[in-house]
């Protein structure tokens, strides 16, 4: 039962490259193959294969507790049986995972795939109204939820399509010994004995039933996941990914980055983001490697874990590296096991590049990808990276730089929009035909995805980010979309109109600023509005700065001139720094 494409493809148009996927031979050096063959299996099969090859090897290290591949496979199988026989989950049904990083998250992910269902990752910082949109839009029928997040989910039971919830406590995944690590108090908490509402069961009770699932039927073209991303208009949209699109991304990434069974990953990037899931879970499980898991960023714990478990692979955002190398005594830590530090999403300070190179002999391997492309799209060759660069197109990725208006390719070196034809590109947005029509274009008989990012390409084929066609704000690696925040602000009874822009921030890179005009007679202060935002929006979205003005500038058509406000903010920041 392959998934039906979300929108029709014009006759004669090539949807995506066919395996094997080749790359520019100029960059296939230093041991990198010039092409890859993508497996024709489900993503779940990778766990099954790893467990058969390395049954007693540690798959997940969670503070002082180790989960073997045999145990991970068994738990995923039993939870898949629970989904099918107790929750009534059928092939293609959507299942939400709403949790911080923990072993239960990884088990729930693979259990969902083992049940032939579709995984829907949800940012653990979302509030009830934001979560309701995802539940109703995806049609999710079941959910795995961290115990501290149950209050956000409970109102949706019985008032939406959501029928069943399995709740887990992070402390249940810990052993009796914390191994002397700084375990946060909320992670130590184990399951309570408090009664649960109808439709909710505890993780341990569900596992204890040891239900054997039906035969695994999903193949490469079945629906695999619906990760949500926001655009420049309206509420978040789900990206339709099959097992094939997801596998293409992380299989290519694993080959490019030389992942092996002896690799050890420090997994601290949130698993509800594809950066964390694809890089630190799917790539690791494919190889039979070990995942050293942290629920959230803690620079001291990260240093201890790298040293203790001889971590080799670390996907780290630039802001994370800045904080990590600022901690006292870091020079004394033995980080010699690191062989790959990779990331992207923001400019990396030169001093961080210098520390990595001079102290550890490492280059920071920057890359580029989107939720719509299952994360892995461009990256720097390991043997020849360029600083401040997105890298080069990876296996099978046909990348063009085009004029956003004419859609014609621009000359080499000039700035234009990145458009890509690649096997990891999503099939489309879930139930969003208009967005699909705007997002895809046909060139030379092939279907290209418009990224909305502006870049240029040098004479060697390396891509350099120049600007954002879309209005996305990158706050500590979290994508914040102004239109979504503006829609929330406009629900405030005192706000007449609002415009959200990016304000430079020393720690976050960028932070969210709201410029608002109030209704006549409204007496709200900027502090009042900031407090309201914190109550109604996820922490990373909520504006950190509010500026009240008499009116907002408008363009000739009456639209708010957000670019003018953005330019004023940059000018103000530049004047302050001088």
């Amino acid at each position: 039962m392959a998934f039906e494409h979300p929108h029709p493809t014009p006759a004669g148009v090539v949807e995506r490259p066919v395996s094997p996927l080749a790359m520019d031979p100029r960059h296939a050096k230093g041991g990198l193959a010039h092409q890859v063959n993508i497996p024709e299996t489900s993503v779940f099969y990778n766990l099954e294969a790893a467990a058969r090859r390395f049954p007693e090897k540690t798959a997940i290290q969670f503070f002082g507790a180790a989960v073997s591949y045999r145990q991970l496979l068994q738990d995923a199988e039993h939870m898949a049986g629970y989904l099918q026989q107790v929750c009534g989950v059928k092939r293609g049904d959507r299942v939400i995972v709403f949790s911080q990083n923990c072993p239960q998250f990884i088990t729930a992910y693979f259990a969902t795939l083992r049940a032939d269902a579709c995984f829907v990752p949800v940012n653990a910082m979302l509030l009830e109204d934001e979560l309701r949109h995802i539940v109703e839009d995806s049609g999710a029928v079941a959910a795995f939820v961290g115990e501290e997040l149950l209050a956000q989910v409970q109102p949706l039971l019985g008032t939406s399509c959501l029928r069943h919830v399995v709740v887990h406590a992070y402390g249940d995944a810990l052993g009796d010994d914390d191994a002397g690590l700084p375990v946060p108090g909320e992670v130590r908490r184990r399951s309570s004995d408090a009664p649960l509402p109808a439709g909710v069961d505890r993780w341990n009770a569900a596992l204890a039933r040891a239900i054997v699932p039906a035969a695994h039927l999903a193949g490469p073209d079945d629906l695999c996941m619906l990760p949500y991303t926001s655009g420049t208009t309206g509420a978040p949209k789900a990206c339709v990914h099959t097992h094939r699109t997801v596998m293409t991304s992380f299989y290519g990434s694993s080959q490019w980055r030389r992942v092996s069974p002896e690799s050890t990953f420090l997994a601290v990037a949130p698993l509800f983001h594809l950066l964390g899931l694809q890089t630190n879970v799917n790539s690791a499980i494919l190889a039979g490697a070990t995942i050293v898991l942290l629920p959230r960023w803690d620079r001291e714990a990260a240093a201890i874990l790298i040293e203790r478990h001889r971590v080799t692979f670390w996907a780290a955002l630039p802001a994370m590296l800045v904080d990590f190398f600022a901690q006292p005594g870091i020079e004394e830590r033995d980080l010699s096991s690191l062989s790959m530090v990779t990331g992207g999403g923001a400019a990396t300070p030169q001093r961080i590049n210098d520390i990595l190179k001079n102290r550890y002999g490492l280059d920071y391997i920057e890359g580029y990808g989107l939720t719509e492309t299952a994360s892995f799209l461009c990256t720097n060759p390991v043997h020849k990276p360029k600083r401040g660069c997105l890298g080069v197109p990876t296996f099978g990725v046909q990348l063009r730089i085009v004029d956003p208006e004419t859609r014609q390719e621009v000359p080499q070196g000039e700035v234009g929009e990145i458009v890509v034809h690649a096997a990891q590109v999503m099939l489309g947005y879930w139930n969003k035909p208009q967005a699909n029509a705007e997002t895809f274009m046909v060139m030379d008989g092939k279907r290209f995805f418009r990224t909305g990012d502006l870049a240029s390409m040098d004479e060697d084929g390396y891509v350099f980010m120049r600007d954002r066609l879309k209005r996305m704000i990158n706050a500590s690696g979290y994508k914040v979309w102004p239109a979504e925040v503006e829609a929330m602000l406009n629900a405030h009874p005192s706000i007449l109109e609002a415009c959200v822009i990016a304000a430079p921030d020393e720690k976050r890179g960028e932070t969210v600023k709201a410029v608002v005009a109030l209704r006549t007679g409204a007496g709200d202060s900027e502090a009042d509005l900031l407090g309201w935002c914190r109550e109604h929006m996820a922490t990373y979205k909520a504006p950190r700065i509010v500026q009240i003005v008499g009116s907002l500038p408008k363009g000739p058509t009456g639209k708010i001139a957000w670019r003018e406000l953005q330019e004023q903010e940059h000018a103000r920041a530049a004047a302050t720094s001088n």
Side-chain angles (χ1 to χ4, degrees):
M1 188 185 79
F3 176 70
E4 185 178 347
H5 202 290
H7 62 94
T9 303
V13 172
V14 176
E15 189 65 26
R16 53 180 46 81
V18 178
S19 188
L21 305 178
M23 62 172 293
D24 189 329
R26 291 180 295 175
H27 309 304
K29 298 175 182 178
L32 182 63
H34 76 281
Q35 66 178 29
V36 295
N37 289 276
I38 306 303
E40 294 277 334
T41 62
S42 75
V43 173
F44 172 79
Y45 176 79
N46 297 327
L47 173 59
E48 185 176 26
R52 293 186 183 281
R53 294 168 67 205
F54 312 112
E56 302 310 320
K57 187 174 187 290
T58 297
I60 305 168
Q61 186 73 46
F62 188 60
F63 294 105
V67 180
S68 69
Y69 270 99
R70 176 190 55 77
Q71 187 67 53
L72 179 58
L73 176 62
Q74 177 179 292
D75 288 352
E77 292 268 357
H78 289 164
M79 200 58 81
Y82 181 89
L83 285 175
Q84 290 176 331
Q85 296 190 32
V86 177
C87 302
V89 171
K90 298 180 175 57
R91 189 174 182 181
D93 280 351
R94 276 73 65 201
V95 176
I96 277 175
V97 178
F98 186 40
S99 170
Q100 301 283 354
N101 291 1
C102 61
Q104 295 99 319
F105 187 114
I106 297 175
T107 302
Y109 166 59
F110 281 106
T112 300
L113 301 187
R114 173 61 181 84
D116 300 324
C118 172
F119 168 70
V120 183
V122 177
N123 189 323
M125 290 187 284
L126 295 192
L127 303 181
E128 181 186 330
D129 288 346
E130 298 164 313
L131 179 63
R132 180 181 293 277
H133 165 73
I134 291 177
V135 169
E136 293 178 349
D137 183 69
S138 67
V141 299
F144 293 99
V145 179
E147 191 169 65
E148 86 285 9
L149 301 172
L150 182 58
Q152 311 284 16
V153 179
Q154 189 172 335
L156 306 182
L157 272 168
T159 65
S160 68
C161 47
L162 191 63
R163 304 191 301 263
H164 295 273
V165 170
V166 179
V167 63
H168 58 266
Y170 308 125
D172 289 347
L174 296 173
D176 295 328
D177 182 6
D178 63 12
L181 292 163
V183 183
E186 63 270 22
V187 176
R188 290 183 183 275
R189 283 198 288 272
R190 299 181 184 268
S191 295
S192 67
D193 296 326
L196 294 172
V200 181
D201 203 353
R202 297 196 187 280
W203 177 275
N204 289 341
L207 267 188
R209 299 181 66 166
I211 300 174
V212 177
H216 181 50
L217 301 176
D221 295 313
D222 275 272
L223 191 58
C224 178
M225 64 173 69
L226 290 180
Y228 274 76
T229 185
S230 297
T232 54
T233 58
K237 302 186 292 292
C239 301
V240 177
H241 279 293
T242 64
H243 288 264
R244 187 187 303 278
T245 62
V246 172
M247 183 92 78
T248 297
S249 173
F250 72 78
Y251 188 86
S253 167
S254 299
Q255 301 304 311
W256 193 284
R257 293 160 172 164
R258 281 74 158 176
V259 176
S260 77
E262 315 320 316
S263 298
T264 301
F265 291 67
L266 179 64
V268 62
L271 300 184
F272 51 72
H273 284 178
L274 288 198
L275 168 67
L277 184 70
Q278 290 282 72
T279 305
N280 294 327
V281 174
N282 282 332
S283 289
I285 298 297
L286 172 70
T290 295
I291 303 165
V292 178
L293 193 60
L294 267 178
R296 62 183 62 177
W297 175 240
D298 180 324
R299 66 183 187 179
E300 180 187 1
I304 295 171
L305 291 171
I306 292 172
E307 185 176 49
R308 181 176 298 180
H309 295 293
R310 308 299 295 161
V311 167
T312 62
F313 190 105
W314 184 15
L317 296 173
M320 196 180 288
L321 292 173
V322 170
D323 187 44
F324 181 79
F325 286 114
Q327 66 179 296
I330 190 61
E331 302 86 353
E332 308 305 317
R333 291 287 184 188
D334 180 6
L335 309 181
S336 60
S337 60
L338 286 171
S339 61
M340 172 70 67
V341 181
T342 185
T348 310
Q350 184 60 43
R351 63 184 181 84
I352 299 300
N353 284 315
D354 291 341
I355 288 173
L356 287 171
K357 191 68 173 179
N358 299 333
R359 195 180 296 171
Y360 308 106
L362 297 173
D363 290 296
Y364 183 56
I365 305 300
E366 295 184 56
Y368 168 71
L370 304 94
T371 307
E372 288 90 342
T373 66
S375 187
F376 186 69
L377 195 65
C378 295
T379 196
N380 274 271
V382 176
H383 67 280
K384 193 178 180 181
K386 292 189 179 183
R387 291 184 177 180
C389 171
L390 302 181
V392 301
T394 55
F395 302 109
V397 175
Q398 298 175 39
L399 183 147
R400 312 273 180 86
I401 308 291
V402 304
D403 184 298
E405 300 298 328
T406 67
R407 302 190 180 185
Q408 299 298 309
E409 284 194 74
V410 301
Q412 181 257 309
E414 291 192 10
V415 175
E417 183 183 2
I418 299 173
V419 299
V420 291
H421 174 72
Q424 59 263 56
V425 172
M426 65 174 183
L427 272 62
Y429 292 114
W430 180 258
N431 295 330
K432 296 289 185 292
Q434 183 59 40
N436 290 329
E438 296 168 354
T439 302
F440 291 95
M441 56 182 277
V442 175
M443 292 179 65
D444 302 330
K446 298 175 182 177
R447 181 172 173 262
F448 279 77
F449 167 68
R450 300 187 63 181
T451 67
D453 289 323
L454 300 177
S456 63
M457 182 181 288
D458 71 10
E459 65 279 3
D460 298 320
Y462 287 71
V463 181
F464 291 80
M465 181 73 81
R466 300 304 183 193
D467 203 347
R468 297 187 182 107
L469 187 61
K470 299 175 182 177
R471 293 177 55 200
M472 186 266 287
I473 299 170
N474 191 335
S476 295
Y478 290 101
K479 292 182 178 180
V480 180
W481 301 93
E484 183 184 359
V485 180
E486 288 166 358
M488 295 177 181
L489 287 169
N490 288 333
H492 191 290
S494 297
I495 293 178
L496 176 65
E497 54 187 2
C499 182
V500 170
I501 57 175
D505 184 273
E506 185 173 347
K507 288 187 176 181
R508 304 179 84 206
E510 292 178 342
T511 199
V512 184
K513 177 177 179 177
V515 184
V516 303
L518 300 181
R519 297 181 185 277
T520 302
D524 302 69
S525 68
E526 293 172 353
D528 293 333
L529 297 177
L530 285 171
W532 183 88
C533 290
R534 288 192 294 269
E535 292 177 3
H536 290 81
M537 302 181 205
T539 303
Y540 73 99
K541 291 181 191 174
R544 302 289 181 92
I545 305 169
V546 169
Q547 179 185 359
I548 297 175
V549 296
S551 62
L552 297 177
K554 305 291 197 306
T557 62
K559 292 184 178 180
I560 295 173
W562 68 269
R563 288 186 186 277
E564 180 180 332
L565 291 171
Q566 185 66 77
E567 289 168 1
Q568 290 173 3
E569 183 62 28
H570 286 316
R572 184 182 298 110
T576 303
S577 63
N578 291 335

